[in-house]
Amino acid sequence: MKILYHSTNLPPKLAGTEAMLQEINTLRHHFDGNLIHVNPNDQSRLYWPRLLFGFHQLGQIRAEESDLHLHHFYNADPFPFPFLRWLRRPVIYSISSGVGLKPPNRAFFGSLAAVTVSDERSLKRLQGWGLGHNTYLVRPGIETCRFSYSALPLHSEIRLMVGSAPWTMGQFRTKGIEALLAAAQQAPHLRLVCLWRGVLAEEMARRVRQMGLERQVEIINQKVDVNQVLAEVHASITLVTDPAIIRSYPHTLMESLAAGKPILVSRSIPMADYVEQADCGQVVEEVTPGAVLAAVETLAQNYGRLQKAAQAVGSRDFSKEALIASFKSVYQKVIDNHGSAFTKASH
């Protein structure tokens, strides 16, 4: 089985810190596939809009197709990239973020070999729009064996790990950083440990200084052993105002559960549905300082129960092996359904 993986994200500033690429690399290493970045904006002096992504590499991609079984394309939202129509091999399109309320291009997505989503909320929406015939649910997975539980008593202060750092200035608001910092100003017992990715770290440090939060907020702007960070916090938090800007199941939250630490997640992130079902954390109803503090208080009051639930489900529900098995099943269905297309591909 030969697969070419496509990513629309730019290569990360700090290697190993971008969740979509981590998942792609997990699959690549298992299925022995190559990867191309179809977004040219890291090397071009001119800005390329999404409508043109992939066309600068189309010749190279087409040249490789004689030895391919399929393409596996990753993007955050259901955007109909035109260059995919030019590919000869079947395309599996993985939507890594939550599907919003606006229906996607039905003709485009209905013509793909397969579409995968990470959460039940997105699956039901696509099915409701008539895209159930080629849509599959594949829950993400991580190397849960890298994480272990380290007890941290909850006394006078509560420490939260903050992941999914902003890529743009606007995301300080849309990813809840402004709300978190304002909440910390109102609650001296709240401590934040922020994992940064080499982008806008100076801006974050400036905001922390300006708000007088140097003693409450730690910024880690380097690749670290997340398991060691999790040993020093009580829980993890991820907030967004728009589900399209973050993965349905953020990696840092899955890692937190794998380490037995409960999570706080905003209602707009599809993982919130899982958190309520598994009772392994607290849903933040709005991305505001007041809603954050209310959720933190509720988490603290029920910490013992939520921590035990997190420890129980973390390694059970998010294994790398389950991710690989799910995609293997999708790959095989696509190959079986397009058997005549592979007469030239090596097996």
Side-chain angles (χ1 to χ4, degrees):
M1 187 183 299
K2 291 194 175 182
I3 303 166
L4 181 62
Y5 294 89
H6 305 239
S7 172
T8 57
N9 285 358
L10 295 174
K13 297 291 184 182
L14 295 177
T17 60
E18 203 279 307
M20 183 189 292
L21 192 56
Q22 289 178 34
E23 180 168 306
I24 292 174
N25 284 334
T26 293
L27 297 174
R28 285 181 61 209
H29 294 153
H30 185 83
F31 295 102
D32 194 26
N34 292 326
L35 167 68
I36 61 170
H37 290 272
V38 300
N39 182 345
N41 285 309
D42 61 328
Q43 298 177 341
S44 174
R45 288 181 294 180
L46 299 175
Y47 175 75
W48 288 59
R50 293 207 292 177
L51 284 170
L52 298 180
F53 281 15
F55 281 110
H56 67 297
Q57 294 171 306
L58 189 57
Q60 171 194 342
I61 296 170
R62 293 281 289 269
E64 295 184 30
E65 282 195 303
S66 61
D67 291 325
L68 289 181
H69 288 89
L70 53 88
H71 299 275
H72 190 168
F73 183 85
Y74 269 81
N75 186 57
D77 63 326
F79 182 83
F81 290 87
F83 92 97
L84 294 177
R85 294 186 180 273
W86 291 74
L87 304 181
R88 296 188 181 100
R89 296 303 185 196
V91 175
I92 296 172
Y93 193 125
S94 287
I95 304 169
S96 62
S97 298
V99 174
L101 297 176
K102 182 181 178 181
N105 185 315
R106 182 174 173 179
F108 177 89
F109 284 92
S111 69
L112 297 173
V115 178
T116 73
V117 293
S118 302
D119 63 280
E120 291 83 354
R121 188 189 299 181
S122 296
L123 179 68
K124 290 178 181 178
R125 285 178 178 170
L126 291 178
Q127 290 174 336
W129 292 323
L131 292 170
H133 68 283
N134 66 339
T135 303
Y136 301 89
L137 174 67
V138 178
R139 182 172 284 172
I142 57 174
E143 292 188 52
T144 55
C145 61
R146 293 175 43 228
F147 299 91
S148 56
Y149 174 62
S150 297
L152 183 67
L154 180 60
H155 295 308
S156 59
E157 69 175 30
I158 184 166
R159 297 173 58 85
L160 305 180
M161 186 179 80
V162 183
S164 301
W167 294 112
T168 66
M169 290 290 287
Q171 287 185 355
F172 277 89
R173 178 183 62 82
T174 58
K175 285 194 170 181
I177 301 302
E178 291 180 357
L180 276 171
L181 295 180
Q185 272 192 319
Q186 299 175 32
H189 65 285
L190 179 59
R191 302 286 190 269
L192 305 176
V193 181
C194 304
L195 301 185
W196 233 247
R197 300 183 285 200
V199 178
L200 297 173
E202 292 183 359
E203 172 63 19
M204 178 62 170
R206 184 192 68 79
R207 293 180 182 228
V208 169
R209 290 193 303 270
Q210 187 179 53
M211 299 177 75
L213 293 171
E214 295 95 328
R215 293 185 178 181
Q216 288 176 251
V217 179
E218 178 184 0
I219 305 168
I220 302 178
N221 187 37
Q222 60 184 2
K223 187 177 179 181
V224 293
D225 183 343
V226 179
N227 189 50
Q228 292 182 2
V229 178
L230 285 165
E232 300 299 325
V233 301
H234 298 100
S236 298
I237 186 168
T238 298
L239 305 173
V240 296
T241 59
D242 178 2
I245 63 174
I246 199 169
R247 289 174 63 86
S248 296
Y249 280 76
H251 263 218
T252 50
L253 297 188
M254 291 190 292
E255 291 168 346
S256 185
L257 293 178
K261 300 300 173 77
I263 60 178
L264 297 106
V265 58
S266 54
R267 174 68 67 184
S268 60
I269 300 175
M271 192 178 186
D273 300 341
Y274 170 85
V275 169
E276 287 188 323
Q277 293 167 6
D279 195 28
C280 58
Q282 187 66 36
V283 175
V284 184
E285 296 297 341
E286 296 179 300
V287 184
T288 64
V292 170
L293 291 176
V296 169
E297 180 63 24
T298 302
L299 179 100
Q301 292 174 355
N302 300 282
Y303 188 74
R305 186 187 81 246
L306 299 177
Q307 186 279 312
K308 290 179 181 178
Q311 196 170 0
V313 303
S315 59
R316 182 193 71 193
D317 292 346
F318 302 106
S319 72
K320 178 184 71 174
E321 292 74 21
L323 168 74
I324 291 171
S326 293
F327 270 122
K328 184 178 180 180
S329 175
V330 175
Y331 293 162
Q332 195 59 56
K333 287 178 182 177
V334 169
I335 290 175
D336 292 344
N337 291 338
H338 296 80
S340 61
F342 303 110
T343 56
K344 294 183 180 180
S346 58
H347 292 265

Short mmCIF file of all heavy atoms in Angstrom, two decimals, residues 110-135:
data_model
loop_
_atom_site.label_atom_id
_atom_site.label_comp_id
_atom_site.label_asym_id
_atom_site.label_seq_id
_atom_site.Cartn_x
_atom_site.Cartn_y
_atom_site.Cartn_z
N GLY A 110 -18.66 15.02 -1.99
CA GLY A 110 -19.32 13.79 -2.36
C GLY A 110 -18.57 12.99 -3.40
O GLY A 110 -18.76 11.78 -3.52
N SER A 111 -17.68 13.66 -4.17
CA SER A 111 -16.92 12.98 -5.22
C SER A 111 -15.63 12.37 -4.72
O SER A 111 -14.98 11.61 -5.45
CB SER A 111 -16.59 13.98 -6.34
OG SER A 111 -15.65 14.97 -5.90
N LEU A 112 -15.23 12.66 -3.48
CA LEU A 112 -13.98 12.12 -2.94
C LEU A 112 -14.14 10.65 -2.58
O LEU A 112 -15.24 10.18 -2.29
CB LEU A 112 -13.56 12.92 -1.71
CG LEU A 112 -13.24 14.40 -1.93
CD1 LEU A 112 -13.00 15.10 -0.60
CD2 LEU A 112 -12.02 14.57 -2.84
N ALA A 113 -13.01 9.94 -2.56
CA ALA A 113 -13.06 8.53 -2.20
C ALA A 113 -13.52 8.34 -0.76
O ALA A 113 -14.25 7.39 -0.44
CB ALA A 113 -11.69 7.89 -2.41
N ALA A 114 -13.09 9.24 0.12
CA ALA A 114 -13.49 9.17 1.53
C ALA A 114 -13.24 10.51 2.19
O ALA A 114 -12.33 11.26 1.80
CB ALA A 114 -12.74 8.06 2.26
N VAL A 115 -14.04 10.80 3.19
CA VAL A 115 -13.85 11.97 4.06
C VAL A 115 -13.83 11.45 5.49
O VAL A 115 -14.70 10.66 5.87
CB VAL A 115 -14.98 13.00 3.88
CG1 VAL A 115 -14.78 14.18 4.82
CG2 VAL A 115 -15.06 13.47 2.43
N THR A 116 -12.84 11.88 6.29
CA THR A 116 -12.81 11.44 7.68
C THR A 116 -12.91 12.64 8.61
O THR A 116 -12.41 13.73 8.30
CB THR A 116 -11.53 10.65 8.03
OG1 THR A 116 -10.40 11.53 8.09
CG2 THR A 116 -11.27 9.56 7.00
N VAL A 117 -13.57 12.44 9.72
CA VAL A 117 -13.67 13.44 10.78
C VAL A 117 -13.30 12.78 12.10
O VAL A 117 -13.32 11.56 12.23
CB VAL A 117 -15.09 14.05 10.86
CG1 VAL A 117 -15.40 14.87 9.62
CG2 VAL A 117 -16.14 12.95 11.04
N SER A 118 -13.00 13.61 13.09
CA SER A 118 -12.51 13.10 14.37
C SER A 118 -13.60 12.98 15.44
O SER A 118 -13.34 12.39 16.49
CB SER A 118 -11.39 14.01 14.91
OG SER A 118 -10.33 14.10 14.00
N ASP A 119 -14.77 13.55 15.19
CA ASP A 119 -15.76 13.62 16.26
C ASP A 119 -17.15 13.35 15.73
O ASP A 119 -17.45 13.54 14.55
CB ASP A 119 -15.72 15.00 16.91
CG ASP A 119 -16.10 16.10 15.93
OD1 ASP A 119 -15.24 16.51 15.12
OD2 ASP A 119 -17.26 16.53 15.95
N GLU A 120 -18.01 12.88 16.64
CA GLU A 120 -19.37 12.51 16.29
C GLU A 120 -20.20 13.72 15.86
O GLU A 120 -21.07 13.61 14.99
CB GLU A 120 -20.04 11.82 17.47
CG GLU A 120 -19.50 10.42 17.80
CD GLU A 120 -18.24 10.48 18.68
OE1 GLU A 120 -17.73 11.60 18.93
OE2 GLU A 120 -17.79 9.40 19.10
N ARG A 121 -19.93 14.88 16.45
CA ARG A 121 -20.69 16.08 16.10
C ARG A 121 -20.51 16.42 14.62
O ARG A 121 -21.49 16.69 13.92
CB ARG A 121 -20.21 17.25 16.97
CG ARG A 121 -21.04 18.51 16.85
CD ARG A 121 -20.39 19.69 17.56
NE ARG A 121 -20.19 19.50 18.99
CZ ARG A 121 -19.65 20.42 19.78
NH1 ARG A 121 -19.24 21.57 19.28
NH2 ARG A 121 -19.49 20.17 21.07
N SER A 122 -19.27 16.37 14.15
CA SER A 122 -19.00 16.66 12.74
C SER A 122 -19.57 15.58 11.83
O SER A 122 -20.10 15.87 10.74
CB SER A 122 -17.48 16.78 12.52
OG SER A 122 -16.95 17.87 13.24
N LEU A 123 -19.48 14.32 12.25
CA LEU A 123 -20.01 13.22 11.46
C LEU A 123 -21.51 13.39 11.24
O LEU A 123 -22.01 13.25 10.10
CB LEU A 123 -19.72 11.89 12.15
CG LEU A 123 -20.25 10.63 11.44
CD1 LEU A 123 -19.50 10.40 10.14
CD2 LEU A 123 -20.12 9.41 12.36
N LYS A 124 -22.24 13.72 12.28
CA LYS A 124 -23.69 13.87 12.16
C LYS A 124 -24.05 15.04 11.25
O LYS A 124 -25.02 14.96 10.48
CB LYS A 124 -24.31 14.06 13.55
CG LYS A 124 -24.26 12.81 14.42
CD LYS A 124 -24.83 13.08 15.80
CE LYS A 124 -24.76 11.82 16.67
NZ LYS A 124 -25.27 12.08 18.05
N ARG A 125 -23.26 16.11 11.29
CA ARG A 125 -23.55 17.26 10.43
C ARG A 125 -23.34 16.89 8.96
O ARG A 125 -24.16 17.22 8.10
CB ARG A 125 -22.68 18.45 10.81
CG ARG A 125 -23.15 19.13 12.09
CD ARG A 125 -22.27 20.28 12.50
NE ARG A 125 -22.81 20.92 13.71
CZ ARG A 125 -22.17 21.84 14.42
NH1 ARG A 125 -20.97 22.25 14.05
NH2 ARG A 125 -22.74 22.36 15.49
N LEU A 126 -22.24 16.22 8.66
CA LEU A 126 -21.98 15.82 7.27
C LEU A 126 -23.04 14.84 6.79
O LEU A 126 -23.51 14.93 5.64
CB LEU A 126 -20.59 15.21 7.15
CG LEU A 126 -19.41 16.19 7.34
CD1 LEU A 126 -18.09 15.44 7.24
CD2 LEU A 126 -19.45 17.32 6.32
N GLN A 127 -23.42 13.91 7.63
CA GLN A 127 -24.47 12.97 7.25
C GLN A 127 -25.79 13.69 7.00
O GLN A 127 -26.52 13.36 6.06
CB GLN A 127 -24.65 11.92 8.35
CG GLN A 127 -23.49 10.94 8.47
CD GLN A 127 -23.62 10.01 9.67
OE1 GLN A 127 -24.29 10.34 10.64
NE2 GLN A 127 -22.97 8.86 9.60
N GLY A 128 -26.08 14.70 7.80
CA GLY A 128 -27.31 15.47 7.62
C GLY A 128 -27.32 16.26 6.32
O GLY A 128 -28.40 16.59 5.80
N TRP A 129 -26.14 16.56 5.80
CA TRP A 129 -26.03 17.28 4.53
C TRP A 129 -25.88 16.33 3.34
O TRP A 129 -25.53 16.75 2.24
CB TRP A 129 -24.84 18.24 4.59
CG TRP A 129 -25.04 19.38 5.54
CD1 TRP A 129 -26.19 20.05 5.80
CD2 TRP A 129 -24.04 19.98 6.39
NE1 TRP A 129 -25.97 21.03 6.75
CE2 TRP A 129 -24.67 21.00 7.12
CE3 TRP A 129 -22.67 19.73 6.59
CZ2 TRP A 129 -23.99 21.80 8.04
CZ3 TRP A 129 -21.99 20.53 7.50
CH2 TRP A 129 -22.64 21.54 8.23
N GLY A 130 -26.14 15.06 3.55
CA GLY A 130 -26.12 14.11 2.46
C GLY A 130 -24.75 13.57 2.10
O GLY A 130 -24.55 13.06 0.99
N LEU A 131 -23.81 13.62 3.03
CA LEU A 131 -22.44 13.15 2.76
C LEU A 131 -22.09 11.91 3.59
O LEU A 131 -20.93 11.66 3.86
CB LEU A 131 -21.44 14.27 3.05
CG LEU A 131 -21.50 15.47 2.08
CD1 LEU A 131 -20.65 16.62 2.59
CD2 LEU A 131 -21.05 15.04 0.69
N GLY A 132 -23.09 11.14 3.97
CA GLY A 132 -22.83 9.96 4.79
C GLY A 132 -22.25 8.79 4.03
O GLY A 132 -21.65 7.90 4.63
N HIS A 133 -22.40 8.77 2.70
CA HIS A 133 -21.98 7.60 1.94
C HIS A 133 -20.48 7.40 1.92
O HIS A 133 -20.00 6.28 1.73
CB HIS A 133 -22.49 7.70 0.49
CG HIS A 133 -21.83 8.79 -0.31
ND1 HIS A 133 -22.17 10.12 -0.14
CD2 HIS A 133 -20.86 8.75 -1.26
CE1 HIS A 133 -21.44 10.86 -0.97
NE2 HIS A 133 -20.64 10.05 -1.65
N ASN A 134 -19.70 8.48 2.10
CA ASN A 134 -18.24 8.35 2.03
C ASN A 134 -17.54 8.97 3.23
O ASN A 134 -16.35 9.27 3.18
CB ASN A 134 -17.71 8.98 0.74
CG ASN A 134 -17.90 10.50 0.68
OD1 ASN A 134 -18.76 11.04 1.39
ND2 ASN A 134 -17.13 11.18 -0.15
N THR A 135 -18.26 9.18 4.32
CA THR A 135 -17.71 9.84 5.51
C THR A 135 -17.50 8.82 6.62
O THR A 135 -18.38 8.00 6.90
CB THR A 135 -18.64 10.96 5.98
OG1 THR A 135 -18.85 11.89 4.91
CG2 THR A 135 -18.03 11.69 7.17
#
